[in-house]
Amino acid sequence: MSVDTGTSPAAGVEEREQQSLGTAAARNLTTTTKSEPQMRGISSRWLTRMLPWVDVPGGTYRVNRRLSYRLGDGRVTFVQTGAQVGVIPAELAELPLLRGFSDGTALAALAARFEQREYAPGQVIVTAGRPADHVFLVAHGKVERIGEGPYGDEAVVGLLADGDAFGGQVLAGPEGTWEFTARAATTTIVLALPYAAYREVLDRHDDLRAHIRLAGQDGHRAVNDRGEAEIALSSGHVGEPDVPGTFVDYEPQPREYELSVAQTVLRMHTRVADLYNQPMNQTKEQLRLTVQALRERQEHELVNNREFGLLHNAAYDQRISTRSGPPTPDDLDELLSMRRDTRFLFAHPRAIAAFGRECNRRGLYFGSIDLNGHHLPAWRGVPLLPCGKIPVSAARTSSIIAMRTGENDQGVIGLRQTGLPDEVEPGLNVRFMGINEQAVISYLVSAYYSAAVLVPDALGILENVEVSRRD
């Protein structure tokens, strides 16, 4: 049977009659093969995978340490709780007019009256010629002392860094003026003691007033090279000499880490859960993607949380800055040398690329390592793992984290509680919350976590890492 198309042969090739069922119609009788719902927000989460996780049945983990402070070195030591910084009261004896003063009550009262202040690069802290009415302790950063040059111009006459102090003469009285201008060279955190607050303490403590008048001599307990209270020992002796007695002093107020939580309420209509569960269970898929999102948030908090995040809990003496901007082999070597047995380096992928460019510039090849079946870059045998949760600032700078891990190694550990009610993964549970009048089912999905740094040198950071390309 032929069909007249109504066109002449010159108009085109003659169309042929369809001889079989078309694919478009046939698809109406088939079942498609479907993938699980995909999610672009899932990352490798190397930090979460590499941290050794410790079970915290009580919800709080206390880090007990030996009492640690360093006296007589002219530098003040601070204690950190997240982003908050405080001065150790005994360390105030580093100030010249307080040297040798040992009344813990008076020193604690002084320490409590210091105010934390932050300055951006270029901001002036004090101005020459203005009344000197504050004592300043540099907790972190660099401060330039600006004076007059040989030709009357401005000149940098000194540099103050972590642990340094200026304005100590204020303790003798507020009559003087600043002999120099102090200006922040980098992002700087200082603790400031106003003279009025100091005077309140002075009026309440007769022994402090007497000490300031007499300017007493040094007198303090010896410490070891790590700043910990010394344990008196004797060795190499013969006969029957007196053996020294000692005790191991502990921090009176050890740091406690409470488990943090990330939560969301997952909602689903009963009609969807009842009717549309083939070939995939809708509730299961919704929970799977929600759990992935919570785990991503968990890793972000482990890096950035101001209370327990790694970027905020690294001790200031364990932070260094790059020498020239981009991360160089010299920078990573210095970072590794600051602690024993560094297990991992974590960096934003752009920082890893910047390090690779610097190695290429020098004709170096940074090696690789096999980690759990993955072929990953390494430096000096230490895996250099990507972590996109480490921020890159608007100035295109980032940080590189180095850490030792594990309780047995006095390193960094992750904290969680297992055995939760309705637990679906360690430290994560899904609680049924009921069905409302609109027939919507609700589930409370919760992840509990935190991280702890057991000793300060377990965690170090290379700061101000430039990740932009250089011509």
Side-chain angles (χ1 to χ4, degrees):
M1 177 180 178
S2 63
V3 178
D4 185 3
T5 62
T7 59
S8 63
V13 180
E14 182 180 353
E15 294 184 5
R16 293 186 179 182
E17 179 183 5
Q18 181 176 327
Q19 301 182 31
S20 63
L21 180 67
T23 56
R27 287 184 60 189
N28 294 329
L29 302 182
T30 67
T31 300
T32 59
T33 301
K34 305 173 181 64
S35 74
E36 292 181 339
Q38 305 299 300
M39 180 175 174
R40 295 175 61 184
I42 298 176
S43 65
S44 56
R45 298 202 293 266
W46 278 108
L47 175 61
T48 304
R49 292 159 64 181
M50 294 297 103
L51 272 182
W53 290 90
V54 175
D55 188 25
V56 185
T60 301
Y61 187 92
R62 178 181 296 162
V63 179
N64 289 306
R65 296 175 180 167
R66 284 180 60 186
L67 182 62
S68 177
Y69 52 84
R70 191 182 299 271
L71 294 175
D73 61 354
R75 303 181 70 86
V76 180
T77 303
F78 303 88
V79 62
Q80 290 175 253
T81 304
Q84 297 299 312
V85 183
V87 60
I88 297 175
E91 288 288 303
L92 292 176
E94 296 295 345
L95 299 177
L97 289 179
L98 290 178
R99 188 150 301 190
F101 184 65
S102 58
D103 186 338
T105 303
L107 291 177
L110 281 177
R113 283 167 171 76
F114 276 86
E115 304 168 356
Q116 181 173 339
R117 301 179 184 177
E118 299 186 14
Y119 295 89
Q123 278 192 290
V124 174
I125 302 174
V126 300
T127 304
R130 299 291 298 274
D133 56 358
H134 283 71
V135 178
F136 291 95
L137 310 178
V138 183
H140 179 56
K142 294 181 180 179
V143 176
E144 295 174 332
R145 294 181 55 172
I146 309 298
E148 186 175 324
Y151 302 101
D153 56 340
E154 183 181 280
V156 178
V157 297
L159 191 67
L160 303 171
D162 299 9
D164 287 328
F166 60 98
Q169 73 277 8
V170 172
L171 301 181
E175 295 80 12
T177 60
W178 293 110
E179 299 178 353
F180 57 88
T181 295
R183 184 173 62 198
T186 64
T187 300
T188 302
I189 298 175
V190 302
L191 297 183
L193 176 67
Y195 179 78
Y198 160 71
R199 189 70 199 183
E200 291 179 6
V201 178
L202 191 68
D203 292 340
R204 297 175 183 176
H205 294 85
D206 296 337
D207 52 350
L208 179 59
R209 289 199 303 272
H211 178 86
I212 294 295
R213 287 196 303 267
L214 298 175
Q217 301 296 317
D218 268 299
H220 54 77
R221 184 177 174 186
V223 297
N224 62 18
D225 59 359
R226 296 288 183 176
E228 297 170 329
E230 188 67 84
I231 298 176
L233 303 172
S234 176
S235 62
H237 52 270
V238 295
E240 299 178 352
D242 292 334
V243 178
T246 189
F247 65 96
V248 180
D249 208 353
Y250 301 134
E251 286 187 352
Q253 296 178 328
R255 173 79 184 272
E256 292 186 347
Y257 295 86
E258 294 184 0
L259 293 184
S260 183
V261 62
Q263 291 179 310
T264 188
V265 177
L266 174 64
R267 296 186 174 94
M268 178 179 295
H269 201 283
T270 53
R271 182 169 58 249
V272 173
D274 292 341
L275 301 180
Y276 300 100
N277 277 333
Q278 295 296 333
M280 296 181 189
N281 185 291
Q282 295 284 356
T283 304
K284 178 181 177 182
E285 294 303 317
Q286 288 283 303
L287 284 173
R288 181 178 65 84
L289 297 178
T290 301
V291 167
Q292 290 289 346
L294 281 176
R295 291 305 194 193
E296 292 291 330
R297 173 60 66 86
Q298 171 182 323
E299 185 169 80
H300 179 274
E301 293 291 298
L302 290 173
V303 174
N304 298 288
N305 187 281
R306 293 183 67 84
E307 294 298 324
F308 58 85
L310 301 180
L311 289 180
H312 294 285
N313 278 270
Y316 291 135
D317 61 359
Q318 294 296 317
R319 301 170 185 252
I320 58 173
S321 185
T322 55
R323 297 166 182 260
S324 58
T328 65
D330 296 333
D331 294 326
L332 260 64
D333 284 345
E334 184 176 358
L335 185 63
L336 291 175
S337 70
M338 296 170 67
R339 70 198 42 77
R340 59 178 173 82
D341 196 20
T342 301
R343 295 287 179 84
F344 303 106
L345 294 164
F346 293 94
H348 192 280
R350 293 177 62 185
I352 297 177
F355 179 65
R357 290 193 294 270
E358 291 303 307
C359 288
N360 293 338
R361 193 187 306 274
R362 300 185 180 200
L364 300 175
Y365 174 75
F366 67 96
S368 60
I369 194 170
D370 186 82
L371 184 64
N372 297 340
H374 298 270
H375 199 62
L376 297 165
W379 181 251
R380 307 296 190 195
V382 179
L384 182 56
L385 304 178
C387 181
K389 310 303 188 302
I390 300 175
V392 176
S393 70
R396 297 182 181 179
T397 60
S398 185
S399 301
I400 296 178
I401 299 174
M403 68 172 68
R404 181 176 66 248
T405 58
E407 276 189 308
N408 293 336
D409 254 353
Q410 301 183 107
V412 181
I413 57 174
L415 306 176
R416 67 187 179 194
Q417 186 177 134
T418 59
L420 299 170
D422 302 318
E423 187 174 63
V424 296
E425 291 184 3
L428 187 148
N429 65 351
V430 180
R431 308 295 299 273
F432 176 68
M433 297 178 64
I435 305 175
N436 65 15
E437 294 180 353
Q438 289 77 39
V440 175
I441 309 172
S442 297
Y443 298 92
L444 177 63
V445 189
S446 308
Y448 299 94
Y449 55 86
S450 187
V453 183
L454 300 187
V455 295
D457 73 348
L459 177 66
I461 295 180
L462 178 65
E463 299 181 312
N464 303 316
V465 174
E466 291 185 6
V467 299
S468 56
R469 287 191 173 188
R470 286 188 171 187
D471 295 332

